[in-house]
Amino acid sequence: MATDTTDTDVLPATAILGRNLTHGMLDTLGRAIVTGRYENRPFPTEAEIAKTHGVSRSVTREAVKMLTAKGLVSARPRQGTVVQPASSWNLFDTDVLRWTLERKFSVELLRHFNQLRVAIEPEAAALAARFGDAADEAAIRNGLAQMEAGEAGTTDPLEADIAFHMAILRASKNPFYAQFQSVVSTALRTSIRFTNRIKGRSANIPDHAAVADAIIARDPAAARIAMTRIIGDVLTLIGDE
């Protein structure tokens, strides 16, 4: 009988260690770039990075390649590796978004993020009302139930809120919307904490229930309106800050 295996089951220990070192180096360098450590000084060479952090040149080289793919650095002839301006960073990359949000809290960035949500989630809710199946409905109901449990202090309200929104993106059955799960989940962690602090409480359960009810009732227009209301309230809160 075949058994499932994970990546760590099939990779040799040296490969796992190398991958962990590479991602650790990526996180260190990415945070340094986003926090402005190299703003007025040149980005170090691979040899300098390897020596400073005690890692191999191959680990450093791979980490720099990943930074390049994320838009944080670029290699230029006779100039070496150069840090790119923030306008070139790929904010749809969850690492970049997480580093940016952790760097220095930015109301403006959260406003931009929620403006993006207005363009995505209401339509995802409408599509979920049209194409979602029984499993999707169960996931949405479960997310709402977990949010209610969070109000009672028996579950994590933040994780429950995120799970509710992720279930709706998946229920849209649109692969492009589903691809936004990681980005929305990453940014929601900061957005929800911020708005909950302003409100002095967690998410509005009745408003979320209205979205779930509309999806389950197969009413796309009502689902779209209900989700727009949730995000509109967030934008109002952010706008008042």
Side-chain angles (χ1 to χ4, degrees):
M1 179 178 174
T3 57
D4 291 335
T5 59
T6 64
D7 289 344
T8 54
D9 292 326
V10 297
L11 285 174
T14 52
I16 296 169
L17 177 61
R19 184 175 64 180
N20 290 341
L21 284 172
T22 299
H23 281 85
M25 194 72 265
L26 170 69
D27 193 66
T28 297
L29 294 173
R31 287 176 187 275
I33 291 170
V34 170
T35 54
R37 188 175 304 174
Y38 301 112
E39 202 165 289
N40 296 309
R41 61 191 237 193
F43 191 74
T45 64
E46 290 180 4
E48 290 169 337
I49 294 171
K51 182 178 180 180
T52 299
H53 297 280
V55 296
S56 68
R57 290 284 293 274
S58 61
V59 165
T60 300
R61 188 174 302 113
E62 190 60 31
V64 172
K65 284 182 181 178
M66 294 167 78
L67 290 172
T68 302
K70 296 173 185 293
L72 270 66
V73 300
S74 65
R76 298 179 182 176
R78 295 187 297 277
Q79 293 184 37
T81 302
V82 178
V83 173
Q84 293 288 82
S87 58
S88 297
W89 300 350
N90 179 12
L91 290 178
F92 287 106
D93 182 286
T94 53
D95 285 333
V96 177
L97 182 58
R98 175 168 51 83
W99 295 327
T100 303
L101 288 168
E102 291 175 357
R103 171 188 60 183
K104 180 181 178 183
F105 181 75
S106 169
V107 173
E108 183 179 21
L109 183 59
L110 282 188
R111 183 181 299 112
H112 291 163
F113 164 66
N114 281 285
Q115 287 168 347
L116 175 67
R117 289 182 67 199
V118 168
I120 296 169
E121 291 191 68
E123 193 58 35
L127 290 173
R130 294 180 60 195
F131 303 116
D133 55 29
D136 294 318
E137 290 182 7
I140 293 168
R141 287 182 188 273
N142 182 63
L144 185 62
Q146 291 300 308
M147 289 179 68
E148 292 169 343
E151 288 287 291
T154 57
T155 62
D156 185 338
L158 173 61
E159 294 302 324
D161 199 344
I162 291 171
F164 177 84
H165 289 276
M166 296 306 99
I168 292 172
L169 287 172
R170 289 192 298 272
S172 73
K173 301 304 185 186
N174 184 307
F176 293 99
Y177 284 175
Q179 286 287 318
F180 279 101
Q181 286 183 85
S182 296
V183 172
V184 171
S185 176
T186 298
L188 270 180
R189 294 184 189 284
T190 299
S191 182
I192 291 172
R193 288 191 186 105
F194 176 66
T195 54
N196 285 357
R197 189 166 64 247
I198 297 172
K199 293 182 294 186
R201 59 172 174 78
S202 54
N204 186 309
I205 302 297
D207 282 356
H208 285 71
V211 177
D213 290 344
I215 291 172
I216 292 167
R218 301 296 180 183
D219 188 337
R224 185 184 293 111
I225 291 169
M227 183 62 83
T228 300
R229 182 181 302 116
I230 289 175
I231 305 172
D233 287 346
V234 171
L235 282 168
T236 298
L237 284 170
I238 293 174
D240 288 342
E241 283 301 294

